Amino acid sequence: MAQTVTVPAVRAHKRADDPLVMITAYDAPGARIVDDAGVDIILVGDTLAMVVLGHEDTLQVTVDDMAHHVAAVARARPRALVVGDMPWLSYHVSVADTVTNAAALIRAGAAAVKLEGGRKRVDMIRSIIDAEIPVMGHIGLTPQSIHALGGFKVQGKELDAATALVDDALALVDAGCFSIVLECVPDEVARMVTEAVPVPTIGIGAGPWCDGQVLVFHDLLGLQDRIRPKFVRRYAELGASATEAVAAYAADVRARRFPADDESYHLAGEVADALGRGGRTQASA
Ligand code: KIV
């Protein structure tokens, strides 16, 4: 059996020839699909709120929601590293709550947690790491701050904002993060950050210079259409195929083409005869 991907292995994957591959998953079948495809990291992201639970933003999920889905992913026993996303307000109030909430995701089956924010979050990150829980950082567009940011907008476009991102990344490294997600920043800024830090950067809408890339499962597979940022490359149109398949099923049911004889169970001949339901040539249990 292939070896499980570990936090130190990811941490060591800096400026490697083969970029890290991360993707989200939220349940056991999804985890099996992405693990069989050979990804390095499975992120049980708080995008759960939008792509699975139907909310407008990521602010609606709780630690219990996240733990429930981390557990489902972990039950698939993936080879990839499982990272659990800490939801909004689970690491903002007190150190004790922060560590307890991170631990809930680890107990559910994650090997590390991810949380959003730069210098502001350093104290909480240190306390989680002190509890032996590895932390992945996340800066740039931080969707849990959409109200403060004024929407899903590219970050780091101005000189000050670009240098602030480098400072945030360095603060995350100093606090002990083993990798950093860079979301929706100009590719030049992502390159600056990537060159400035000794841990892998994992980009989403951050151009090609990062040490790895991440996409949301439902975006990559064409399973959702509500938001379609330009950085999403769709490798399949499974939503359209699924609708087509269900429509074919509905048409077959309505036309009595489904189920067919070989999709039905039958009585043994003598039982059918005794019940006055005989006449079949082939009986099976
Ligand atoms: O929650 C999530 O899916 C994420 C990725 C978009 C990086 O944070």
Side-chain angles (χ1 to χ4, degrees):
M1 196 177 134
Q3 176 127 31
T4 307
V5 179
T6 62
V7 165
V10 169
R11 166 79 181 70
H13 213 96
K14 179 73 186 173
R15 294 192 188 98
D17 292 337
D18 51 331
L20 286 163
V21 180
M22 179 158 98
I23 185 166
T24 65
Y26 313 94
D27 57 21
R32 275 186 214 108
I33 289 168
V34 302
D35 205 53
D36 288 350
V39 305
D40 301 304
I41 306 170
I42 299 176
L43 171 66
V44 187
D46 64 354
T47 41
L48 167 75
M50 299 171 76
V51 298
V52 175
L53 303 179
H55 295 293
E56 292 296 315
D57 55 47
T58 59
L59 305 178
Q60 310 304 329
V61 280
T62 63
V63 173
D64 285 349
D65 294 328
M66 293 305 304
H68 183 75
H69 287 267
V70 166
V73 164
R75 263 176 233 127
R77 301 196 164 278
R79 176 192 157 274
L81 183 77
V82 177
V83 177
D85 216 359
M86 295 196 66
W88 176 61
L89 226 54
S90 69
Y91 55 97
H92 304 71
V93 179
S94 72
V95 167
D97 283 353
T98 298
V99 176
T100 305
N101 290 332
L105 301 189
I106 299 300
R107 289 220 164 109
V113 298
K114 175 173 85 55
L115 58 82
E116 298 181 5
R119 281 161 288 180
K120 269 205 262 195
R121 301 292 162 224
V122 155
D123 290 345
M124 296 304 190
I125 292 171
R126 285 190 203 283
S127 65
I128 299 171
I129 293 173
D130 275 353
E132 313 300 342
I133 299 172
V135 178
M136 176 182 281
H138 181 162
I139 54 175
L141 171 58
T142 46
Q144 292 172 13
S145 326
I146 46 157
H147 296 308
L149 297 175
F152 294 102
K153 295 179 178 160
V154 177
Q155 302 295 306
K157 283 162 75 175
E158 308 303 329
L159 189 60
D160 287 358
T163 53
L165 274 175
V166 176
D167 291 344
D168 277 334
L170 289 170
L172 293 181
V173 171
D174 194 49
C177 288
F178 71 95
S179 58
I180 301 172
V181 169
L182 294 178
E183 179 162 354
C184 277
V185 297
D187 60 351
E188 298 89 340
V189 176
R191 190 175 191 179
M192 272 169 56
V193 172
T194 299
E195 287 171 1
V197 296
V199 300
T201 58
I202 303 177
I204 175 161
W209 306 106
C210 298
D211 299 297
Q213 297 290 330
V214 53
L215 279 178
V216 168
F217 182 86
H218 292 64
D219 289 342
L220 180 156
L221 294 176
L223 281 166
Q224 74 90 24
D225 256 329
R226 285 196 310 169
I227 300 181
R228 199 166 168 176
K230 90 172 200 184
F231 60 77
V232 169
R233 185 179 296 177
R234 274 160 78 139
Y235 287 86
E237 295 296 341
L238 295 194
S241 305
T243 302
E244 230 172 83
V246 176
Y249 159 69
D252 282 353
V253 170
R254 291 184 181 123
R256 298 198 179 281
R257 286 190 298 266
F258 176 84
D261 192 57
D262 62 357
E263 290 161 331
S264 307
Y265 297 104
H266 303 302
L267 289 169
E270 61 280 12
V271 181
D273 288 344
L275 290 169
R277 299 280 157 176
R280 287 181 189 282
T281 49
Q282 199 189 358
S284 63

